[in-house]
Amino acid sequence: MRNAFNVVSRQAFLSECSLHFPELYPWVLWCYGQHPILWHPMGTLTSECGVQQGDPLGPLLFCLVLNILVKDICSDPNCANLSFHSWYLDDGVVAGPSLAVQKLIRSSSPNIVILGVPIGDLEFCSNYISNKCASAKLLLYKLEEVGAQDAQVALVLLRLCGSFCKLAHLARATPPSLSIKALELIDIDVRHCFSQCTAVDTSDEAWWQAQLSLSCGGLGLRSLSSHAAAAFIASLCSSNFSSLSSLHLTSAIGKFNSSVSPSDVVSVESLAQRPPIQKALSAKIDDFQFNQLFNSSSLADRACLLSISSPHASLWLSVIPSEGLGLHLNPDQFQVAIKWWLGLDTSGGSLCSLCPDTVLDPLGHHASTCKRGGDAVFRHNRLRDVVAESCRTGPEAGQQPSTSLLNTLTLSEAGVCAGAAAQAGEIAVKWWLGLDTSDGAQCTLCPGVLDHLGHHAVTCKYGGDVVSRHNKIRDILVETCRCAHIGVQVEVGNNLTHDHNKTRPADILLSNWFLSKPAALDVSITSPLNPLTLLEAGVLAKSAAQVTEAMKHQANDPKCSELGWVCVPMGRIVWSLRR
């Protein structure tokens, strides 16, 4: 019974008390004969049903009413086949043939809810499912408010609490034929919530990818309507094999088989022989959707899909965001990362991360006029500071005016500013002439051509980004080794051989690796979008890393052998050891 103490009829236990405990009746009547007034900040209300919380007589009064129910069960002919029924206050155990138990349950009400599962007529079940989905929709509204402050946190909560996980129990316990329409509406709401939280407007193909599991290169926002059949089949097969011939199961099997490849279809017979688990059935759906997406993609997109679906590639999406641990991205960084992950345009045509109702454009018009970001404030403050500094250092007490604020910069800082100014100057000229500032332009660092998906930006070897990523990975490995008290040296190998070879095969040198030999760890930054390996990467996952590993062995093995080291390329997550 649910909430039984609060809804028990006071008239019923007063009548039973006068019958069985006449000496106690005057006191109970004085306590419950009238409706006491309850006070709260919004006003008052009257207490008209149930027993008072904390009343020592509450359990006794409840049992007086429960005694009526127990007598009715004993005298009901429909319950004659029950093996036994036992009660402790509002907890009861009923055992017997399934038909007898079903008759007992239906005798109290034709429509009931047991453990969050609606049992009753079609209208009752449909209304219950709709109410459940409505409560889930309220959570999505709250997540949109979180997304306005932190998109990364909102996406983690959406995946773990607000999408499939929120209604997984409902999908497992109700036939898809009853819940599919309501679940399809929830899928639409989840997509809208994702767009509002991340300010990323997805295409149908990108959202298809986002609904895949993390291991398949998606965002883990599984579609409730697509996986409802798998959830129901797994739940039914694990609980009651006598229902394997039901129409609901047949309908669920048909829907599931339409969502998987012909080699993964199931039947009633196969389910009876080997009951599946939901994880295995959902994995078949993910594999089928991944293959469809892969087959319809371009060569570059295939390379990206194979790369991001590799083991551990999606760990950045599954971590708990933490600024202290360096695991947090600001909204702009996270938006670009999500766009690249889904193969979306990383420049124009998407929603502004600061005002989601406005669409960015590749010409930079909105970026120069957005009032909600820090850029306008930054330009305002910079102009103010220039004017203020000019006033302070102007003709005063015989001094000559200062040339500019750049006088305060060191030579190295001025060089950095000059490099940034060269790129900023090119963008400024394009914007002045009304040209596209993102796609089709030549890279300022190499003869390559920029693209709006950011492929060239990821693979360009002439900028500082590849070096920065290389050094960051190297430093993380070095710090990990030092925390484990492993002897480590950084950037070793220059001029150690007889020919004074200046190459450094060891980004990290571990003093004792295999058979007491030091290991030269060579960190490599690879990408499946590299033009040299794109053809192989579009067919075979990790091929770019394998090619880079072979090149590193070819270049470093001779010098490492002369020095007595073991060459260990770090182009892949799994370290390869060539003895």
Side-chain angles (χ1 to χ4, degrees), residues 150-172:
D150 195 315
Q152 187 178 4
V153 172
L155 181 58
V156 172
L157 293 176
L158 180 61
R159 184 179 72 253
L160 299 180
C161 308
S163 54
F164 185 84
C165 296
K166 179 66 176 176
L167 296 173
H169 176 69
L170 184 67
R172 288 177 59 86

Side-chain angles (χ1 to χ4, degrees), residues 68-232:
I68 300 176
L69 174 63
V70 173
K71 289 182 178 179
D72 291 341
I73 294 176
C74 294
S75 61
D76 190 346
N78 295 324
C79 302
N81 295 329
L82 288 178
S83 300
F84 77 95
H85 59 97
S86 181
W87 301 84
Y88 178 77
L89 298 178
D90 57 344
D91 295 324
V93 177
V94 180
S98 58
L99 291 179
V101 175
Q102 183 177 1
K103 288 180 179 179
L104 171 62
I105 295 175
R106 292 296 179 87
S107 64
S108 59
S109 174
N111 299 315
I112 58 175
V113 177
I114 298 179
L115 298 178
V117 180
I119 300 176
D121 54 41
L122 178 61
E123 181 181 2
F124 172 77
C125 293
S126 299
N127 291 336
Y128 180 85
I129 294 172
S130 298
N131 293 334
K132 274 289 186 181
C133 292
S135 63
K137 192 172 181 179
L138 294 177
L139 176 61
L140 297 179
Y141 290 148
K142 295 295 183 181
L143 286 179
E144 291 178 10
E145 298 178 4
V146 176
Q149 304 296 326
D150 195 315
Q152 187 178 4
V153 172
L155 181 58
V156 172
L157 293 176
L158 180 61
R159 184 179 72 253
L160 299 180
C161 308
S163 54
F164 185 84
C165 296
K166 179 66 176 176
L167 296 173
H169 176 69
L170 184 67
R172 288 177 59 86
T174 57
S177 56
L178 298 179
S179 60
I180 191 66
K181 292 183 178 179
L183 297 182
E184 287 175 349
L185 295 178
I186 286 294
D187 286 340
I188 296 175
D189 293 331
V190 170
R191 181 174 182 177
H192 180 267
C193 179
F194 169 79
S195 297
Q196 292 296 312
C197 290
T198 61
V200 175
D201 189 12
T202 59
S203 61
D204 291 340
E205 292 78 10
W207 182 244
W208 193 2
Q209 179 185 342
Q211 291 180 316
L212 296 176
S213 63
L214 295 180
S215 61
C216 289
L219 297 179
L221 302 177
R222 275 182 169 167
S223 167
L224 279 159
S225 58
S226 298
H227 290 264
F232 180 74

Side-chain angles (χ1 to χ4, degrees), residues 19 24 31 81 170 209 239 244 264-265 281 309 376 425 439 443 457 495 510 557:
L19 178 63
L24 189 61
C31 293
N81 295 329
L170 184 67
Q209 179 185 342
S239 59
L244 287 180
D264 291 330
V265 298
L281 295 179
S309 60
D439 193 17
C443 178
N495 288 330
L510 301 181
D557 276 352

